[in-house]
Amino acid sequence: MRLTLPIFSQENHARPEPVNHKGLNFTKEISSATSFVRQLAEQMTLAKAYVIIAKEHNNLHLAWELSNMIRSCQLLLSKSAMRGESITQEEAEPIISSLSYLIFKAQDARYDVATTIITMKSHIQALEERANAAIVQSTVFGQLAAEALPKNLHCLKVKLTTDWLEKLPLQDLAEEKRNSPRLVDNNLYHFCIFSDNVLATFVVVNSTISNADHPKQLVFHIVTNGISYGAMQAWFLSNDFKGATIKVQNVEEFSWLNASYAPVVKQLRDEESRYNQDVKGEPKLWNHKDLSLLNHLRFYIPEIYPLLEKIVFLDDDVAVQKDLTQLFSLDLHGNVNGAVETCLVAFHRYYKYLNFSNPIISSKFDPQACGWAFGMNVFDLVAWRKANVTAQYHYWQKQNGDGTLWKLGTLPPALLAFYGLTEPLDRRWHVLGLGYDANIDSRLIESAAVIHFNGNMKPWLKLAIGRYKPLWERYMNQTHPYYQDCATS
């Protein structure tokens, strides 16, 4: 390997022209015990340590002398690299001699090796602490940016909620559609989405319909919270969806979903209470989505839709690019969950998500078992009820009451509850990473049935990855007057 070093002069800081080096191999030079390059490099490293120590002991003159010789050393190394020739003895001896004298002078001032090591360790520790603090701060800011509702989306929700409250015909229409027989017709194709984001949910629904061969055969089951319920109803009742059936429900009406039945309800309340008392906790722990009951509804799908036999779950940060009705005819071979596996990336295996130092986990699960993706899943609800997956989910939630088996989130308990019950799907059904990875192969994205913007860089945010944002925006209804008003307000 040939190393290119730029030359820096104390008098002239102009950018050097690139030089083609042919004769000098710095890797070979630095590995040779007799080369002047290696001797100079080693002395320079030691001298840099003594500069820090001299400054700490207020010996500024020695620190200046050492720094001056370090610059001379760097200059000689740079000249050697630029001309492509080794450093000669005549060039090296004055600098080596001067550096040796200064290093001896530093040692004579009782800056011994032990002092050097202790001092450098303290500097390294301080740098690590600063780096860790910066990482935590960056994570917090990224999380806040990802969770904050942009002004235009907040504006849209306010306008739609006002419509819902003031326009009684909308409420009458919702009541009329509440008990449509299509909602329980197993000859149709059923999809469920759990979200409080009106625009994101619309993109999921609109993209699915836009790419379906027979939109009238699609049924969408949307569950949201009380705050977003009116806005969600107003939006989906006032837009055209090519004959598809859409029902919006309020999670707060699910009286059966309470702390006495679902362990996660109590756990979420406890975590939210701890969050309010200690905002300095680990950033990932306080992810708003992790603390949302909507995010955990996916474990109760058979109970929310007791008459359905098969359903496709879609996260609210996906966009659909192909007809998904073929998912309903896939053979899951008796399994409950059809999902795309993620262990093509080596660390997406069970040991990544679960605490295998705990015997409860290590005795029942293979740490090398392949993880899979939540966000586009086809569920056989008949098989789900037979295997009693929800009860398994409850069992593991109780086991994790102290939070030591896994951190907050829905994937770790799903890996446990659906263990041995997941059918791997062709990866083209579901491509992930558009919310954090800017380098996904374009051919993979084009071939994907569903693209998933998992990560903090959601497509409705300013921090979205520009390369992918148009793939999501093309399914937005940008002609809607409310959207236009909010976009320009």
Side-chain angles (χ1 to χ4, degrees):
M1 182 180 77
R2 300 187 187 279
L3 179 65
T4 302
L5 294 176
I7 179 169
F8 296 98
S9 168
Q10 295 177 21
E11 294 78 26
N12 183 8
H13 295 277
R15 196 169 187 171
E17 294 295 324
V19 176
N20 184 24
H21 313 295
K22 295 182 179 179
L24 182 65
N25 188 325
F26 257 74
T27 302
K28 186 176 180 181
E29 287 277 320
I30 207 74
S31 62
S32 172
T34 59
S35 78
F36 293 116
V37 168
R38 177 167 176 170
Q39 292 179 55
L40 287 166
E42 288 176 347
Q43 279 193 310
M44 189 166 58
T45 301
L46 189 57
K48 286 180 180 178
Y50 280 124
V51 167
I52 296 171
I53 296 170
K55 285 180 179 179
E56 287 192 345
H57 288 77
N58 208 29
N59 193 341
L60 301 182
H61 181 70
L62 177 59
W64 179 85
E65 287 183 304
L66 286 165
S67 297
N68 193 42
M69 289 310 303
I70 288 169
R71 285 192 292 271
S72 297
C73 185
Q74 290 171 331
L75 182 62
L76 179 56
L77 290 169
S78 298
K79 284 181 177 178
S80 173
M82 293 297 291
R83 70 188 183 215
E85 297 175 357
S86 298
I87 296 173
T88 65
Q89 183 176 354
E90 184 180 0
E91 293 173 313
E93 275 191 348
I95 295 177
I96 290 175
S97 177
S98 297
L99 272 173
S100 297
Y101 167 73
L102 290 173
I103 290 170
F104 175 78
K105 186 176 178 180
Q107 291 172 340
D108 193 48
R110 300 187 183 279
Y111 306 155
D112 57 15
V113 174
T115 304
T116 304
I117 292 172
I118 292 171
T119 304
M120 294 309 294
K121 279 185 175 179
S122 68
H123 276 280
I124 291 170
Q125 185 177 355
L127 286 171
E128 286 178 346
E129 289 175 357
R130 287 171 60 186
N132 289 334
I135 291 170
V136 169
Q137 189 176 52
S138 174
T139 306
V140 171
F141 289 158
Q143 197 67 57
L144 288 173
E147 293 175 11
L149 189 68
K151 184 188 289 187
N152 62 325
L153 297 188
H154 178 71
C155 164
L156 180 65
K157 182 180 282 190
V158 170
K159 284 179 176 288
L160 291 168
T161 302
T162 302
D163 273 0
W164 173 252
L165 296 173
E166 294 181 351
K167 296 181 180 179
L168 294 180
L170 281 178
Q171 298 184 29
D172 294 338
L173 183 58
E175 187 62 32
E176 180 184 326
K177 292 185 173 184
R178 179 185 290 269
N179 297 314
S180 169
R182 291 172 59 85
L183 295 169
V184 293
D185 186 347
N186 283 299
N187 293 313
L188 301 176
Y189 303 108
H190 295 265
F191 300 85
C192 61
I193 308 158
F194 308 133
S195 174
D196 60 355
N197 187 322
V198 177
L199 201 59
T201 304
F202 170 73
V203 168
V204 178
V205 172
N206 191 37
S207 62
T208 306
I209 291 171
S210 298
N211 290 288
D213 293 335
H214 304 287
K216 291 183 179 180
Q217 295 182 8
L218 306 186
V219 181
F220 294 89
H221 304 263
I222 300 169
V223 181
T224 189
N225 57 24
I227 296 173
S228 302
Y229 177 72
M232 201 78 78
Q233 283 280 27
W235 181 268
F236 283 99
L237 289 170
S238 60
N239 279 280
D240 175 47
F241 295 98
K242 300 182 180 179
T245 300
I246 300 172
K247 181 181 180 179
V248 177
Q249 292 176 276
N250 184 350
V251 68
E252 294 171 14
E253 295 177 1
F254 297 163
S255 57
W256 52 269
L257 192 59
N258 51 56
S260 62
Y261 171 65
V264 71
V265 174
K266 181 179 184 303
Q267 290 172 12
L268 290 177
R269 288 174 184 169
D270 292 344
E271 293 294 349
E272 190 169 8
S273 175
R274 281 199 287 270
Y275 166 66
N276 292 331
Q277 295 172 10
D278 179 16
V279 295
K280 295 181 180 179
E282 184 181 344
K284 177 61 181 174
L285 185 65
W286 309 127
N287 188 313
H288 163 74
K289 196 167 185 178
D290 287 339
L291 292 173
S292 169
L293 183 58
L294 288 174
N295 201 37
H296 295 263
L297 282 185
R298 61 194 72 189
F299 294 102
Y300 298 96
I301 292 173
E303 291 165 273
I304 301 172
Y305 313 112
L307 299 179
L308 295 184
E309 297 174 355
K310 189 170 281 190
I311 199 166
V312 168
F313 165 76
L314 296 172
D315 226 335
D316 66 356
D317 54 354
V318 307
V320 177
Q321 302 186 131
K322 311 284 183 185
D323 185 2
L324 296 186
T325 58
Q326 295 178 40
L327 285 168
F328 292 83
S329 60
L330 292 179
D331 186 356
L332 298 183
H333 299 99
N335 287 311
V336 176
N337 171 31
V340 170
E341 292 184 328
T342 55
C343 57
L344 289 174
V345 181
F347 58 83
H348 284 171
R349 296 183 181 273
Y350 269 49
Y351 69 82
K352 170 69 177 179
Y353 305 99
L354 303 168
N355 178 13
F356 275 87
S357 66
N358 191 307
I360 298 176
I361 297 294
S362 59
S363 64
K364 295 179 182 291
F365 302 98
D366 177 7
Q368 294 297 328
C370 196
W372 45 266
F374 250 148
M376 192 294 296
N377 305 78
V378 52
F379 292 121
D380 183 331
L381 301 184
V382 176
W384 183 317
R385 297 181 186 103
K386 184 177 179 180
N388 209 355
V389 174
T390 302
Q392 285 294 312
Y393 167 68
H394 284 169
Y395 169 80
W396 287 110
Q397 284 288 3
K398 290 176 181 176
Q399 294 296 317
N400 193 43
D402 59 358
T404 59
L405 300 187
W406 68 84
K407 297 176 185 177
L408 270 179
T410 55
L411 184 55
L415 294 176
L416 302 178
F418 290 99
Y419 188 68
L421 298 172
T422 298
E423 180 71 16
L425 304 182
D426 188 302
R427 68 182 300 210
R428 288 173 295 182
W429 278 112
H430 186 191
V431 170
L432 298 100
L434 280 77
Y436 66 87
D437 185 356
N439 298 308
I440 303 173
D441 191 325
S442 297
R443 294 168 297 180
L444 185 60
I445 293 174
E446 290 170 7
S447 67
V450 173
I451 51 175
H452 197 164
F453 293 83
N454 56 312
N456 284 342
M457 299 179 185
K458 302 299 185 189
W460 54 84
L461 300 176
K462 287 185 178 180
L463 49 76
I465 298 173
R467 176 186 164 207
Y468 306 136
K469 195 165 185 174
L471 301 174
W472 186 85
E473 287 182 328
R474 64 185 175 184
Y475 295 112
M476 286 169 47
N477 184 1
Q478 300 186 45
T479 62
H480 193 286
Y482 284 177
Y483 181 82
Q484 292 183 335
D485 289 347
C486 290
T488 56
S489 63

